[in-house]
Amino acid sequence: MLRVTGGKFRGQMLASPRNKPGKPEIRPTTSIVRESLFSILQCDLPGARFLDLFAGSGLMGIEALSRGASFALSIEQSRAHTQLIQQNYDKLGLSTEEAKVVMMDVFRFAGRKNRQEAFDIIFADPPYGLPGLAQLVVALEENEWLKPGGYLIIENDSKEMVLENFIRRQFGNTTLYILKSDTSSL
């Protein structure tokens, strides 16, 4: 179980995926990382559209909604995790106008031309060691998923990668890579 750390859903317990042998380890974003990230984003959250990639439990989108975001879209390729995210949304009484989950590979999603409204904040928490994150950043840019002035945040293992032009915030073995776009491109 995971606990929402702030906002109107603060203290609510949410279901979390379980680790399974032979599958990538599931490691929900820790409460200290969530609190630090949302402290950075607090002025930009009210009314924001939040995109949660590799969503797992949907917790990051729920934290964003709890703190004032107007909409959260969770992208997750696992059917079981997608169902769990929807259960968490239902538990909190979130409507489809507030929160939506889509079962799809994140790279496939990012590679599609954006035909919807772009997002103010994009958060990605891929499995550690996943190749292709630089290509994901390029696909999000080329397909116009991030609004001008929006944030792209990638959570990853502190030892694994360095993204140029991103601000780095390290929390032990976890690093947040944060990019605020100043123009229409990253």
Side-chain angles (χ1 to χ4, degrees), residues 7-22:
K8 67 183 177 182
F9 300 129
R10 182 182 181 147
Q12 289 287 325
M13 298 300 290
L14 303 175
S16 174
R18 302 213 184 276
N19 285 313
K20 294 183 180 173

Side-chain angles (χ1 to χ4, degrees), residues 3-139:
R3 184 183 310 271
V4 179
T5 60
K8 67 183 177 182
F9 300 129
R10 182 182 181 147
Q12 289 287 325
M13 298 300 290
L14 303 175
S16 174
R18 302 213 184 276
N19 285 313
K20 294 183 180 173
K23 299 282 185 181
E25 181 183 3
I26 298 166
R27 25 149 216 84
T29 303
T30 65
S31 60
I32 192 157
V33 172
R34 282 183 276 137
E35 288 179 25
S36 297
L37 175 61
F38 286 109
S39 177
I40 292 167
L41 298 174
Q42 69 184 344
C43 294
D44 296 292
L45 269 172
R49 289 176 47 82
F50 189 93
L51 176 59
D52 187 4
L53 303 174
F54 307 97
S57 65
L59 178 61
M60 293 304 285
I62 289 169
E63 285 276 8
L65 290 167
S66 183
R67 297 163 188 261
S70 64
F71 179 75
L73 176 61
S74 294
I75 306 298
E76 175 56 57
Q77 74 175 2
S78 162
R79 179 176 306 280
H81 295 183
T82 302
Q83 291 170 344
L84 185 132
I85 293 167
Q86 188 60 56
Q87 289 170 2
N88 284 333
Y89 288 169
D90 293 345
K91 176 181 179 180
L92 297 173
L94 295 169
S95 70
T96 55
E97 288 79 34
E98 297 170 291
K100 185 176 177 186
V101 59
V102 173
M103 188 175 77
M104 181 182 285
D105 175 78
V106 166
F107 292 97
R108 192 170 131 232
F109 174 85
R112 299 179 338 170
K113 186 70 176 168
N114 180 12
R115 306 239 186 270
Q116 307 168 18
E117 188 177 339
F119 291 86
D120 301 288
I121 301 166
I122 299 175
F123 178 82
D125 184 9
Y128 286 179
L130 184 71
L133 290 182
Q135 292 87 344
L136 177 63
V137 171
V138 169

